[in-house]
Amino acid sequence: QKEVEQNSGPLSVPEGAIASLNCTYSDRGSQSFFWYRQYSGKSPELIMFIYSNGDKEDGRFTAQLNKASQYVSLLIRDSQPSDSATYLCAPLMDSNYQLIWGAGTKLIIKP
Amino acid sequence: NAGVTQTPKFQVLKTGQSMTLQCAQDMNHNSMYWYRQDPGMGLRLIYYSASEGTTDKGEVPNGYNVSRLNKREFSLRLESAAPSQTSVYFCATTQGINTEAFFGQGTRLTVV
C-alpha cells in the first residue's frame, strides 16, 4: 500500500463547476496536510494546508480533513482553465516530520 | 529576491560521469531539501538539511551525496551517474518543520 494515494486522473471538469480532488494516507500520526499545485514543467507551489478535522476555506479553495478516515480532499469552486494542473497531496509524517508526497491528480478544466 | 535558485536547468550526462547540482536560497530559511520527481510517482526525498551543518538521508539517498556549504547553499552530487538517475530534481527550503516549502525551478537530468 502506498503511503499517500491519489487518483492520477486526468480529472476533466467543465469550467465553472466544482472540482473535487481526493487523497488518502496511511500514517495515522500525520497531523498536517498540504496541497500543492504543479503546472506542467514547473515547480510545486502551496495552495492550502490544514491541521484540524473539518473544512478550511480560502477563496475558491476548500480543504477537508477527516483524520479518522485518513482522508483529505481539496475542492475548487468555479473552476477556471487556469486551474488546470497537477495537484499534489502531502501529509507531514509524524515519525520524522518530513512530507510524504502523493503522485498527484492531473486536473483539466474544459472551457 | 530570487527565492530558491537551482543550476543548471537542464543537463545530459553519460553513464559514469559526475556532476553537482547547485541550490541557493535568499529566504534565510533553516531547512533545505533535495527531491527527485519521476513520472507517476510523488516527489521523493533524497537528502535534507534541517539546519546549517547537518545533513540527513531521505527516502532514496543511494548514489547521491550532499553538502550544506552554508545557510544559503545546499548542493547535490552524483559521483557516477546511472540511467536510473534520469529525473527532474527539485531543491526546496522551509523555515521550519511544519511550514510552507518553497521550490527551485527544477533541474531536468538525463543520463544516457
Side-chain angles (χ1 to χ4, degrees):
Chain A
Q1 180 187 5
K2 291 183 180 178
E3 294 183 89
V4 181
E5 297 263 12
Q6 293 184 258
N7 188 323
S8 62
L11 174 65
S12 184
V13 174
E15 184 176 357
I18 296 175
S20 178
L21 305 165
N22 304 316
C23 173
T24 59
Y25 59 94
S26 61
D27 180 15
R28 286 195 168 275
S30 292
Q31 298 295 321
S32 304
F33 304 85
F34 296 78
W35 281 100
Y36 283 77
R37 177 177 63 197
Q38 186 175 25
Y39 292 115
S40 180
K42 302 296 185 182
S43 55
E45 54 182 353
L46 182 68
I47 295 295
M48 289 193 69
F49 60 88
I50 185 167
Y51 305 137
S52 303
N53 276 329
D55 296 359
K56 179 182 178 182
E57 186 175 320
D58 184 1
R60 295 186 297 112
F61 299 93
T62 298
Q64 299 175 317
L65 175 60
N66 184 327
K67 292 182 181 178
S69 299
Q70 294 174 248
Y71 175 91
V72 58
S73 64
L74 180 70
L75 301 178
I76 306 174
R77 290 181 300 281
D78 189 23
S79 297
Q80 302 297 311
S82 60
D83 295 325
S84 297
T86 296
Y87 289 80
L88 308 174
C89 170
L92 188 71
M93 292 278 284
D94 186 51
S95 58
N96 61 5
Y97 300 107
Q98 297 300 326
L99 292 174
I100 295 293
W101 297 80
T105 297
K106 184 174 183 178
L107 176 65
I108 298 172
I109 306 299
K110 292 191 171 182
Chain B
N1 289 343
V4 183
T5 303
Q6 284 181 239
T7 56
K9 292 184 180 179
F10 300 94
Q11 183 71 48
V12 179
L13 290 178
K14 293 182 179 179
T15 297
Q17 287 185 320
S18 62
M19 78 162 295
T20 299
L21 281 64
Q22 306 285 355
C23 177
Q25 54 107 355
D26 61 6
M27 308 181 78
N28 201 34
H29 283 176
N30 291 316
S31 302
M32 300 186 73
Y33 309 80
W34 277 106
Y35 290 97
R36 61 179 287 173
Q37 186 175 38
D38 301 295
M41 303 184 74
L43 290 161
R44 291 185 292 170
L45 183 63
I46 304 171
Y47 271 93
Y48 66 100
S49 172
S51 61
E52 185 179 356
T54 69
T55 59
D56 287 287
K57 294 179 180 179
E59 180 185 357
V60 289
N62 291 345
Y64 306 95
N65 286 299
V66 291
S67 296
R68 182 74 182 265
L69 304 171
N70 47 55
K71 189 172 185 178
R72 293 186 62 250
E73 298 172 289
F74 189 38
S75 63
L76 177 72
R77 183 161 178 84
L78 287 70
E79 290 291 352
S80 179
S84 61
Q85 294 178 305
T86 293
S87 188
V88 179
Y89 291 84
F90 286 102
C91 175
T93 72
T94 63
Q95 178 56 34
I97 292 171
N98 203 17
T99 59
E100 179 179 359
F102 292 86
F103 288 81
Q105 66 268 51
T107 297
R108 188 172 295 274
L109 174 67
T110 302
V111 183
V112 298

